[in-house]
Coordinates of all heavy atoms in Angstrom, one line a residue:
L12 N 9.6 -1.2 -7.9 CA 9.9 -0.6 -9.2 C 9.1 -1.3 -10.3 O 9.2 -2.5 -10.5 CB 11.4 -0.8 -9.5 CG 12.0 0.0 -10.7 CD1 11.8 1.5 -10.5 CD2 13.5 -0.3 -10.9
G13 N 8.1 -0.5 -10.9 CA 7.3 -0.9 -12.0 C 5.9 -1.3 -11.6 O 5.7 -1.9 -10.5
D14 N 5.0 -1.0 -12.4 CA 3.6 -1.3 -12.2 C 3.3 -2.8 -12.2 O 2.5 -3.3 -11.4 CB 2.7 -0.7 -13.3 CG 2.5 0.8 -13.0 OD1 2.7 1.3 -11.9 OD2 2.1 1.5 -14.0
A15 N 4.0 -3.6 -13.0 CA 3.8 -5.0 -13.0 C 4.2 -5.6 -11.7 O 3.5 -6.5 -11.1 CB 4.6 -5.7 -14.1
N16 N 5.3 -5.1 -11.1 CA 5.7 -5.6 -9.8 C 4.7 -5.2 -8.7 O 4.4 -5.9 -7.7 CB 7.1 -5.1 -9.4 CG 8.2 -5.9 -10.2 OD1 8.0 -7.0 -10.6 ND2 9.3 -5.2 -10.4
A17 N 4.1 -4.0 -8.9 CA 3.1 -3.6 -7.9 C 1.9 -4.5 -7.9 O 1.3 -4.9 -6.9 CB 2.6 -2.2 -8.3
V18 N 1.5 -5.0 -9.1 CA 0.4 -5.9 -9.2 C 0.7 -7.2 -8.5 O -0.1 -7.8 -7.8 CB 0.0 -6.2 -10.7 CG1 -1.0 -7.4 -10.8 CG2 -0.6 -4.9 -11.3
L19 N 1.9 -7.7 -8.7 CA 2.4 -9.0 -8.0 C 2.4 -8.8 -6.5 O 1.9 -9.7 -5.8 CB 3.8 -9.4 -8.5 CG 4.0 -9.7 -10.0 CD1 5.4 -9.9 -10.3 CD2 3.2 -11.0 -10.3
V20 N 2.8 -7.7 -6.0 CA 2.9 -7.5 -4.6 C 1.5 -7.4 -4.0 O 1.2 -8.0 -3.0 CB 3.7 -6.2 -4.3 CG1 3.5 -5.7 -2.9 CG2 5.2 -6.5 -4.5
V21 N 0.6 -6.7 -4.7 CA -0.8 -6.5 -4.2 C -1.5 -7.9 -4.2 O -2.1 -8.3 -3.2 CB -1.6 -5.6 -5.1 CG1 -3.1 -5.6 -4.8 CG2 -1.1 -4.1 -4.9
D22 N -1.3 -8.7 -5.2 CA -1.9 -10.0 -5.3 C -1.4 -10.9 -4.1 O -2.2 -11.5 -3.4 CB -1.5 -10.7 -6.6 CG -2.1 -12.1 -6.7 OD1 -3.4 -12.2 -6.7 OD2 -1.3 -13.1 -6.8
Q23 N -0.1 -10.9 -3.8 CA 0.4 -11.7 -2.7 C -0.2 -11.2 -1.4 O -0.5 -12.0 -0.5 CB 1.9 -11.6 -2.7 CG 2.5 -12.5 -1.6 CD 4.0 -12.7 -1.8 OE1 4.5 -12.7 -2.9 NE2 4.7 -12.9 -0.7
M24 N -0.2 -9.9 -1.2 CA -0.7 -9.4 0.1 C -2.2 -9.7 0.3 O -2.6 -10.0 1.4 CB -0.4 -7.9 0.2 CG 1.0 -7.5 0.4 SD 1.3 -5.8 0.8 CE 0.8 -5.0 -0.7
L25 N -3.0 -9.6 -0.8 CA -4.4 -9.9 -0.6 C -4.7 -11.3 -0.3 O -5.6 -11.7 0.4 CB -5.1 -9.5 -1.9 CG -5.2 -8.0 -2.2 CD1 -5.8 -7.7 -3.6 CD2 -6.0 -7.2 -1.2
K26 N -3.8 -12.2 -0.8 CA -3.9 -13.6 -0.5 C -3.4 -14.0 0.9 O -3.8 -15.0 1.4 CB -3.1 -14.4 -1.6 CG -3.8 -14.4 -3.0 CD -2.9 -15.1 -4.0 CE -3.5 -15.0 -5.4 NZ -2.6 -15.6 -6.4
A27 N -2.5 -13.2 1.4 CA -1.8 -13.5 2.7 C -2.6 -13.1 3.9 O -2.5 -13.7 4.9 CB -0.5 -12.8 2.7
A28 N -3.5 -12.1 3.8 CA -4.2 -11.6 4.9 C -5.5 -10.9 4.5 O -5.6 -10.5 3.3 CB -3.3 -10.6 5.7
D29 N -6.3 -10.6 5.5 CA -7.6 -9.9 5.2 C -7.3 -8.4 5.2 O -7.6 -7.7 6.1 CB -8.6 -10.3 6.4 CG -10.0 -9.7 6.1 OD1 -10.3 -9.4 4.9 OD2 -10.7 -9.6 7.1
V30 N -6.8 -8.0 4.0 CA -6.5 -6.6 3.8 C -7.3 -6.1 2.6 O -7.7 -6.9 1.8 CB -5.0 -6.3 3.6 CG1 -4.3 -6.6 4.9 CG2 -4.4 -7.1 2.5
V31 N -7.3 -4.8 2.4 CA -8.0 -4.2 1.3 C -7.0 -3.3 0.5 O -6.2 -2.6 1.1 CB -9.1 -3.2 1.8 CG1 -9.8 -2.5 0.6 CG2 -10.2 -4.0 2.5
Y32 N -7.0 -3.5 -0.8 CA -6.1 -2.6 -1.7 C -6.8 -1.3 -1.7 O -8.0 -1.2 -2.0 CB -6.1 -3.2 -3.1 CG -5.5 -2.3 -4.1 CD1 -4.1 -2.0 -4.1 CD2 -6.3 -1.7 -5.0 CE1 -3.6 -1.1 -5.0 CE2 -5.8 -0.8 -5.9 CZ -4.4 -0.5 -5.9 OH -3.9 0.4 -6.8
E33 N -6.1 -0.2 -1.4 CA -6.6 1.1 -1.4 C -6.3 1.8 -2.7 O -7.1 2.3 -3.4 CB -6.1 1.9 -0.2 CG -6.6 1.4 1.1 CD -8.1 1.6 1.3 OE1 -8.7 2.5 0.6 OE2 -8.7 0.9 2.1
T34 N -5.0 1.9 -3.0 CA -4.6 2.7 -4.2 C -3.1 2.5 -4.4 O -2.4 1.8 -3.6 CB -4.9 4.2 -4.1 OG1 -4.7 4.8 -5.3 CG2 -4.1 4.8 -3.0
K35 N -2.6 3.1 -5.4 CA -1.1 3.2 -5.6 C -0.8 4.5 -6.2 O -1.6 5.2 -6.7 CB -0.6 2.1 -6.6 CG -0.9 2.3 -8.0 CD -0.2 1.3 -8.9 CE -0.5 1.5 -10.3 NZ 0.0 2.7 -10.9
D36 N 0.5 4.9 -6.0 CA 0.9 6.2 -6.6 C 2.2 5.9 -7.3 O 3.1 5.1 -6.8 CB 1.2 7.2 -5.5 CG 1.4 8.6 -6.0 OD1 0.7 9.0 -6.9 OD2 2.4 9.2 -5.6
T37 N 2.4 6.4 -8.5 CA 3.6 6.1 -9.3 C 4.4 7.4 -9.4 O 3.8 8.5 -9.7 CB 3.2 5.6 -10.7 OG1 2.4 4.5 -10.5 CG2 4.4 5.2 -11.5
K38 N 5.7 7.3 -9.2 CA 6.6 8.5 -9.3 C 7.5 8.3 -10.5 O 7.6 7.2 -11.0 CB 7.4 8.6 -8.0 CG 6.5 8.9 -6.8 CD 5.9 10.3 -6.9 CE 5.0 10.6 -5.7 NZ 4.2 11.8 -5.9
C39 N 8.2 9.3 -10.8 CA 9.2 9.3 -11.9 C 10.2 8.1 -11.6 O 10.4 7.8 -10.4 CB 9.9 10.6 -12.1 SG 10.8 11.2 -10.6
G40 N 10.8 7.6 -12.6 CA 11.7 6.5 -12.4 C 11.0 5.2 -12.3 O 11.6 4.1 -12.1
G41 N 9.7 5.2 -12.4 CA 8.9 3.9 -12.3 C 8.6 3.4 -11.0 O 8.1 2.2 -10.8
H42 N 8.9 4.1 -9.9 CA 8.6 3.7 -8.6 C 7.1 3.7 -8.3 O 6.4 4.7 -8.6 CB 9.3 4.6 -7.5 CG 10.8 4.4 -7.5 ND1 11.4 3.9 -6.5 CD2 11.7 4.7 -8.5 CE1 12.7 3.8 -6.8 NE2 12.9 4.3 -8.0
A43 N 6.6 2.6 -7.8 CA 5.2 2.5 -7.5 C 5.0 2.2 -6.0 O 5.7 1.4 -5.4 CB 4.5 1.3 -8.3
L44 N 4.2 3.0 -5.4 CA 3.9 2.9 -3.9 C 2.5 2.4 -3.8 O 1.5 3.1 -4.2 CB 4.1 4.3 -3.2 CG 3.9 4.4 -1.7 CD1 4.9 3.4 -1.0 CD2 4.1 5.8 -1.3
V45 N 2.4 1.2 -3.2 CA 1.1 0.5 -3.0 C 0.6 0.8 -1.6 O 1.4 0.6 -0.7 CB 1.3 -1.0 -3.3 CG1 0.0 -1.7 -3.0 CG2 1.7 -1.2 -4.7
F46 N -0.7 1.0 -1.5 CA -1.3 1.2 -0.2 C -2.4 0.2 0.1 O -3.2 0.0 -0.8 CB -2.0 2.6 -0.1 CG -1.1 3.8 -0.2 CD1 -0.7 4.3 -1.4 CD2 -0.7 4.4 1.0 CE1 0.2 5.4 -1.4 CE2 0.2 5.5 1.0 CZ 0.6 6.0 -0.3
I47 N -2.3 -0.5 1.2 CA -3.4 -1.4 1.6 C -3.9 -1.0 3.0 O -3.2 -0.1 3.7 CB -2.8 -2.9 1.7 CG1 -1.7 -3.0 2.7 CG2 -2.5 -3.4 0.4 CD1 -1.3 -4.4 3.1
S48 N -5.0 -1.5 3.4 CA -5.5 -1.2 4.8 C -6.1 -2.4 5.4 O -6.4 -3.4 4.7 CB -6.5 0.0 4.7 OG -7.7 -0.5 4.0
G49 N -6.3 -2.3 6.7 CA -6.9 -3.4 7.4 C -6.6 -3.3 8.9 O -6.1 -2.2 9.3
S50 N -6.8 -4.3 9.7 CA -6.4 -4.3 11.1 C -4.8 -4.3 11.1 O -4.2 -4.6 10.1 CB -6.9 -5.5 11.8 OG -6.2 -6.7 11.3
V51 N -4.3 -3.8 12.2 CA -2.8 -3.8 12.4 C -2.2 -5.2 12.1 O -1.2 -5.3 11.4 CB -2.4 -3.2 13.7 CG1 -0.9 -3.3 13.9 CG2 -2.9 -1.8 13.9
S52 N -2.8 -6.2 12.7 CA -2.2 -7.5 12.6 C -2.3 -8.0 11.1 O -1.4 -8.6 10.6 CB -2.9 -8.5 13.5 OG -4.3 -8.6 13.3
A53 N -3.4 -7.8 10.4 CA -3.6 -8.2 9.0 C -2.6 -7.5 8.1 O -2.0 -8.1 7.3 CB -5.0 -8.0 8.6
V54 N -2.5 -6.2 8.3 CA -1.6 -5.4 7.5 C -0.1 -5.8 7.7 O 0.6 -6.0 6.8 CB -1.8 -3.9 7.7 CG1 -0.6 -3.0 7.1 CG2 -3.1 -3.4 7.2
S55 N 0.2 -6.0 9.0 CA 1.6 -6.5 9.3 C 1.8 -7.8 8.7 O 2.9 -8.1 8.1 CB 1.7 -6.6 10.8 OG 1.6 -5.3 11.4
A56 N 0.9 -8.7 8.7 CA 1.1 -10.1 8.1 C 1.2 -9.9 6.6 O 2.1 -10.6 6.0 CB -0.1 -11.0 8.4
A57 N 0.4 -9.1 5.9 CA 0.5 -8.9 4.5 C 1.9 -8.3 4.1 O 2.5 -8.8 3.2 CB -0.6 -8.0 4.0
I58 N 2.3 -7.3 4.8 CA 3.7 -6.7 4.6 C 4.8 -7.7 4.8 O 5.7 -7.9 4.0 CB 3.9 -5.5 5.4 CG1 2.9 -4.4 5.1 CG2 5.3 -4.9 5.3 CD1 3.0 -3.7 3.8
D59 N 4.7 -8.5 5.9 CA 5.7 -9.5 6.2 C 5.7 -10.6 5.1 O 6.8 -11.0 4.7 CB 5.4 -10.2 7.5 CG 5.7 -9.3 8.7 OD1 6.4 -8.3 8.5 OD2 5.3 -9.6 9.8
S60 N 4.6 -10.9 4.5 CA 4.5 -11.9 3.5 C 5.4 -11.5 2.2 O 6.0 -12.4 1.6 CB 3.1 -12.3 3.0 OG 2.6 -11.3 2.2
V61 N 5.3 -10.2 1.9 CA 6.1 -9.8 0.7 C 7.6 -9.5 1.0 O 8.4 -9.6 0.2 CB 5.5 -8.6 -0.1 CG1 4.1 -9.0 -0.7 CG2 5.4 -7.4 0.8
K62 N 7.8 -9.3 2.3 CA 9.2 -9.1 2.7 C 9.9 -10.4 2.8 O 11.1 -10.5 2.4 CB 9.3 -8.3 4.0 CG 8.9 -6.8 3.9 CD 8.7 -6.1 5.2 CE 10.0 -6.1 6.1 NZ 9.8 -5.3 7.3
V63 N 9.3 -11.4 3.3 CA 9.9 -12.7 3.5 C 10.0 -13.5 2.2 O 11.0 -14.1 1.9 CB 9.1 -13.6 4.5 CG1 9.5 -15.0 4.6 CG2 9.2 -12.9 5.9
S64 N 8.9 -13.5 1.4 CA 8.9 -14.3 0.1 C 8.5 -13.3 -1.0 O 7.3 -13.4 -1.5 CB 7.9 -15.4 0.3 OG 7.8 -16.1 -0.9
S65 N 9.3 -12.5 -1.3 CA 9.0 -11.4 -2.3 C 8.9 -11.8 -3.7 O 9.8 -12.5 -4.2 CB 10.0 -10.3 -2.1 OG 9.8 -9.3 -3.1
P66 N 7.9 -11.4 -4.4 CA 7.8 -11.7 -5.9 C 8.7 -10.8 -6.7 O 8.9 -11.0 -7.9 CB 6.3 -11.4 -6.2 CG 5.9 -10.4 -5.2 CD 6.7 -10.7 -4.0
C67 N 9.3 -9.8 -6.1 CA 10.2 -8.8 -6.7 C 11.0 -8.1 -5.6 O 10.8 -8.3 -4.4 CB 9.4 -7.8 -7.6 SG 8.2 -6.8 -6.6
K68 N 11.8 -7.2 -6.0 CA 12.6 -6.4 -5.1 C 11.7 -5.4 -4.4 O 11.0 -4.6 -5.1 CB 13.8 -5.7 -5.7 CG 14.6 -4.9 -4.8 CD 15.9 -4.3 -5.4 CE 16.7 -3.6 -4.4 NZ 17.8 -2.9 -4.9
I69 N 11.7 -5.4 -3.1 CA 10.9 -4.4 -2.3 C 11.9 -3.3 -1.9 O 12.9 -3.6 -1.2 CB 10.3 -5.1 -1.0 CG1 9.5 -6.3 -1.3 CG2 9.6 -4.1 -0.2 CD1 8.3 -6.0 -2.2
L70 N 11.6 -2.1 -2.3 CA 12.5 -1.0 -2.1 C 12.3 -0.4 -0.7 O 13.2 -0.1 0.0 CB 12.3 0.1 -3.1 CG 12.5 -0.3 -4.6 CD1 12.1 0.8 -5.5 CD2 13.9 -0.8 -4.8
N71 N 11.0 -0.3 -0.2 CA 10.7 0.2 1.1 C 9.3 -0.4 1.5 O 8.5 -0.7 0.6 CB 10.6 1.7 1.1 CG 11.9 2.4 1.1 OD1 12.8 2.2 1.9 ND2 12.1 3.2 0.0
S72 N 9.1 -0.5 2.8 CA 7.8 -0.9 3.3 C 7.6 -0.3 4.7 O 8.5 0.0 5.4 CB 7.7 -2.4 3.3 OG 8.6 -3.0 4.3
A73 N 6.3 -0.2 5.0 CA 6.0 0.4 6.3 C 4.5 0.0 6.7 O 3.7 -0.3 5.8 CB 6.1 1.9 6.3
V74 N 4.3 -0.1 8.0 CA 3.0 -0.3 8.6 C 2.7 1.0 9.4 O 3.5 1.3 10.3 CB 2.9 -1.6 9.4 CG1 1.5 -1.6 10.1 CG2 3.2 -2.8 8.6
I75 N 1.6 1.6 9.1 CA 1.2 2.8 9.9 C 0.0 2.5 10.7 O -1.1 2.4 10.1 CB 1.0 4.0 9.0 CG1 2.2 4.3 8.2 CG2 0.5 5.2 9.8 CD1 2.0 5.4 7.1
S76 N 0.1 2.2 12.0 CA -1.1 1.9 12.8 C -1.8 3.2 13.2 O -1.1 4.2 13.4 CB -0.7 1.1 14.0 OG 0.2 1.8 14.8
N77 N -3.1 3.1 13.3 CA -3.9 4.2 13.7 C -3.5 5.5 13.0 O -3.1 6.4 13.6 CB -3.8 4.4 15.2 CG -4.9 5.4 15.7 OD1 -5.9 5.5 15.1 ND2 -4.6 6.0 16.9
P78 N -3.6 5.5 11.7 CA -3.1 6.7 10.9 C -3.9 8.0 11.3 O -5.0 8.0 11.6 CB -3.4 6.3 9.4 CG -4.5 5.2 9.5 CD -4.3 4.5 10.8
S79 N -3.1 9.0 11.2 CA -3.7 10.4 11.5 C -4.6 10.8 10.4 O -4.6 10.2 9.3 CB -2.5 11.4 11.6 OG -1.9 11.6 10.3
E80 N -5.4 11.8 10.7 CA -6.4 12.3 9.7 C -5.6 12.9 8.5 O -6.1 12.7 7.4 CB -7.2 13.5 10.3 CG -8.2 13.0 11.3 CD -9.2 12.0 10.7 OE1 -9.7 12.2 9.6 OE2 -9.6 11.0 11.4
E81 N -4.4 13.4 8.7 CA -3.6 13.9 7.6 C -3.2 12.8 6.7 O -3.2 12.9 5.5 CB -2.4 14.7 8.1 CG -2.7 16.0 8.8 CD -3.2 15.9 10.2 OE1 -3.1 14.7 10.8 OE2 -3.5 16.9 10.8
M82 N -2.8 11.7 7.3 CA -2.4 10.5 6.5 C -3.5 9.9 5.7 O -3.4 9.5 4.6 CB -1.8 9.4 7.4 CG -1.2 8.2 6.7 SD 0.3 8.7 5.8 CE -0.1 7.9 4.2
I83 N -4.7 9.9 6.4 CA -5.9 9.4 5.7 C -6.2 10.3 4.5 O -6.5 9.8 3.4 CB -7.1 9.3 6.7 CG1 -6.8 8.2 7.7 CG2 -8.4 9.1 5.9 CD1 -7.8 8.2 8.8
G84 N -6.0 11.6 4.7 CA -6.2 12.6 3.6 C -5.3 12.3 2.4 O -5.7 12.5 1.3
I85 N -4.1 12.0 2.7 CA -3.1 11.7 1.7 C -3.5 10.5 0.8 O -3.5 10.5 -0.4 CB -1.7 11.5 2.3 CG1 -1.1 12.8 2.8 CG2 -0.7 10.9 1.2 CD1 0.1 12.7 3.7
V86 N -3.9 9.5 1.5 CA -4.3 8.2 0.8 C -5.6 8.5 0.0 O -5.7 8.1 -1.1 CB -4.5 7.1 1.8 CG1 -5.1 5.9 1.1 CG2 -3.2 6.7 2.5

Side-chain angles (χ1 to χ4, degrees):
L12 191 58
D14 284 340
N16 286 332
V18 170
L19 294 173
V20 166
V21 168
D22 180 61
Q23 184 170 329
M24 290 190 295
L25 292 174
K26 291 174 180 173
D29 186 19
V30 293
V31 174
Y32 168 74
E33 292 294 338
T34 190
K35 74 171 180 65
D36 190 48
T37 305
K38 297 293 180 192
C39 59
H42 290 246
L44 183 59
V45 174
F46 293 84
I47 60 167
S48 67
S50 68
V51 175
S52 60
V54 169
S55 295
I58 297 290
D59 286 346
S60 79
V61 295
K62 287 170 61 177
V63 170
S64 177
S65 177
C67 61
K68 183 176 180 183
I69 304 298
L70 302 175
N71 288 299
S72 65
V74 175
I75 301 173
S76 60
N77 191 26
S79 67
E80 290 300 319
E81 291 83 5
M82 185 69 228
I83 293 170
I85 290 168
V86 173

